[in-house]
Amino acid sequence: MDIRVGHGYDVHAFEPGDHVILCGVKVPHSARLKGHSDADVGMHALTDAIYGALAEGDIGRHFPPSDPQWKGAASEIFLDHAVKLAEARGFRISNCDVTLICERPKIGPHALEMAQELARIMGLDPARISVKATTSERLGFTGREEGIAAIATATLIAE
């Protein structure tokens, strides 16, 4: 049995807006996240975790931000690509864990919906997906509410 673990990390700054997209869910907020695509920091970290487990670099290798075709793209496209690449290599995704790091918006009320949306995109049982949050105790750029960070881990198994 071949078991692989990948880790992903992403950050995006806030800019004027009225919502953020986190793990595929639109969350009302006083700002939005700035990015070349839809800036879904949680989904980007998870995509990178899968690529990492496959030793396939990061999201930028597969979807360069310099390529205008990805401007405003839904991050579901990126995650779907990573999942399909894992499957093509003979791996199944055992479980994923995503942590969103921010003071606001509050993630708790949306975490279950986020896990369900990631499960839908990935074709997994929602019980295999964890989405949670933490603050940085008002320290650093997330503490000053300048943006959101995310870390993710994915476990892949080939039998």
Side-chain angles (χ1 to χ4, degrees), residues 4 8 23 27 46 83 85 102 144-145:
R4 297 186 182 195
C23 298
V27 177
L46 180 54
V83 169
L85 184 59
C102 59
R144 292 186 300 269
E145 298 186 36

PDB file of all heavy atoms in Angstrom, residues 4 8 23 27 46 83 85 102 144-145:
ATOM      1  N   ARG A   4       0.335   8.544   0.869  1.00  0.00           N
ATOM      2  CA  ARG A   4       1.020   9.830   0.712  1.00  0.00           C
ATOM      3  C   ARG A   4       0.240  10.934   1.414  1.00  0.00           C
ATOM      4  O   ARG A   4      -0.981  10.952   1.384  1.00  0.00           O
ATOM      5  CB  ARG A   4       1.162  10.180  -0.765  1.00  0.00           C
ATOM      6  CG  ARG A   4       2.011   9.179  -1.515  1.00  0.00           C
ATOM      7  CD  ARG A   4       2.222   9.656  -2.899  1.00  0.00           C
ATOM      8  NE  ARG A   4       3.005   8.680  -3.654  1.00  0.00           N
ATOM      9  CZ  ARG A   4       3.577   8.966  -4.806  1.00  0.00           C
ATOM     10  NH1 ARG A   4       3.456  10.169  -5.330  1.00  0.00           N
ATOM     11  NH2 ARG A   4       4.254   8.045  -5.439  1.00  0.00           N
ATOM     12  N   GLY A   8      -0.771  21.919   2.108  1.00  0.00           N
ATOM     13  CA  GLY A   8      -0.937  23.127   1.314  1.00  0.00           C
ATOM     14  C   GLY A   8      -1.129  24.338   2.196  1.00  0.00           C
ATOM     15  O   GLY A   8      -1.640  24.232   3.318  1.00  0.00           O
ATOM     16  N   CYS A  23     -13.927  27.676   0.538  1.00  0.00           N
ATOM     17  CA  CYS A  23     -14.253  26.262   0.337  1.00  0.00           C
ATOM     18  C   CYS A  23     -15.532  26.118  -0.489  1.00  0.00           C
ATOM     19  O   CYS A  23     -16.381  25.275  -0.220  1.00  0.00           O
ATOM     20  CB  CYS A  23     -14.337  25.527   1.653  1.00  0.00           C
ATOM     21  SG  CYS A  23     -12.784  25.511   2.570  1.00  0.00           S
ATOM     22  N   VAL A  27     -19.730  33.575   1.568  1.00  0.00           N
ATOM     23  CA  VAL A  27     -19.943  34.003   2.952  1.00  0.00           C
ATOM     24  C   VAL A  27     -20.022  35.530   2.979  1.00  0.00           C
ATOM     25  O   VAL A  27     -19.074  36.204   2.561  1.00  0.00           O
ATOM     26  CB  VAL A  27     -18.788  33.513   3.859  1.00  0.00           C
ATOM     27  CG1 VAL A  27     -18.967  34.007   5.283  1.00  0.00           C
ATOM     28  CG2 VAL A  27     -18.674  31.992   3.813  1.00  0.00           C
ATOM     29  N   LEU A  46      -6.127  23.330  -0.226  1.00  0.00           N
ATOM     30  CA  LEU A  46      -6.451  21.915  -0.387  1.00  0.00           C
ATOM     31  C   LEU A  46      -5.946  21.381  -1.727  1.00  0.00           C
ATOM     32  O   LEU A  46      -5.393  20.274  -1.803  1.00  0.00           O
ATOM     33  CB  LEU A  46      -7.957  21.701  -0.249  1.00  0.00           C
ATOM     34  CG  LEU A  46      -8.447  20.267  -0.397  1.00  0.00           C
ATOM     35  CD1 LEU A  46      -7.717  19.311   0.543  1.00  0.00           C
ATOM     36  CD2 LEU A  46      -9.951  20.203  -0.183  1.00  0.00           C
ATOM     37  N   VAL A  83      -7.917  16.369  -8.069  1.00  0.00           N
ATOM     38  CA  VAL A  83      -8.572  15.100  -7.727  1.00  0.00           C
ATOM     39  C   VAL A  83      -8.474  14.117  -8.897  1.00  0.00           C
ATOM     40  O   VAL A  83      -8.133  12.942  -8.710  1.00  0.00           O
ATOM     41  CB  VAL A  83     -10.041  15.335  -7.320  1.00  0.00           C
ATOM     42  CG1 VAL A  83     -10.806  14.023  -7.213  1.00  0.00           C
ATOM     43  CG2 VAL A  83     -10.115  16.112  -6.014  1.00  0.00           C
ATOM     44  N   LEU A  85      -6.285  14.104 -11.293  1.00  0.00           N
ATOM     45  CA  LEU A  85      -4.888  13.709 -11.458  1.00  0.00           C
ATOM     46  C   LEU A  85      -4.532  12.605 -10.461  1.00  0.00           C
ATOM     47  O   LEU A  85      -3.868  11.620 -10.823  1.00  0.00           O
ATOM     48  CB  LEU A  85      -3.969  14.924 -11.279  1.00  0.00           C
ATOM     49  CG  LEU A  85      -2.482  14.708 -11.504  1.00  0.00           C
ATOM     50  CD1 LEU A  85      -2.201  14.207 -12.923  1.00  0.00           C
ATOM     51  CD2 LEU A  85      -1.720  16.002 -11.239  1.00  0.00           C
ATOM     52  N   CYS A 102      -8.467  33.296  10.358  1.00  0.00           N
ATOM     53  CA  CYS A 102      -8.959  34.667  10.216  1.00  0.00           C
ATOM     54  C   CYS A 102      -9.683  35.078  11.493  1.00  0.00           C
ATOM     55  O   CYS A 102     -10.132  34.236  12.256  1.00  0.00           O
ATOM     56  CB  CYS A 102      -9.890  34.803   9.011  1.00  0.00           C
ATOM     57  SG  CYS A 102     -11.344  33.741   9.035  1.00  0.00           S
ATOM     58  N   ARG A 144      -4.835  41.440  12.112  1.00  0.00           N
ATOM     59  CA  ARG A 144      -5.194  42.824  11.779  1.00  0.00           C
ATOM     60  C   ARG A 144      -6.325  42.870  10.754  1.00  0.00           C
ATOM     61  O   ARG A 144      -6.702  43.942  10.284  1.00  0.00           O
ATOM     62  CB  ARG A 144      -3.973  43.569  11.244  1.00  0.00           C
ATOM     63  CG  ARG A 144      -2.890  43.814  12.286  1.00  0.00           C
ATOM     64  CD  ARG A 144      -1.765  44.689  11.750  1.00  0.00           C
ATOM     65  NE  ARG A 144      -1.099  44.113  10.594  1.00  0.00           N
ATOM     66  CZ  ARG A 144      -0.022  43.305  10.635  1.00  0.00           C
ATOM     67  NH1 ARG A 144       0.503  42.971  11.803  1.00  0.00           N
ATOM     68  NH2 ARG A 144       0.513  42.835   9.528  1.00  0.00           N
ATOM     69  N   GLU A 145      -6.852  41.707  10.397  1.00  0.00           N
ATOM     70  CA  GLU A 145      -7.944  41.570   9.424  1.00  0.00           C
ATOM     71  C   GLU A 145      -7.578  42.137   8.064  1.00  0.00           C
ATOM     72  O   GLU A 145      -8.389  42.780   7.396  1.00  0.00           O
ATOM     73  CB  GLU A 145      -9.236  42.173   9.985  1.00  0.00           C
ATOM     74  CG  GLU A 145      -9.697  41.453  11.238  1.00  0.00           C
ATOM     75  CD  GLU A 145     -11.040  41.905  11.760  1.00  0.00           C
ATOM     76  OE1 GLU A 145     -11.936  42.218  10.934  1.00  0.00           O
ATOM     77  OE2 GLU A 145     -11.198  41.944  12.989  1.00  0.00           O
TER      78      GLU A 145
END
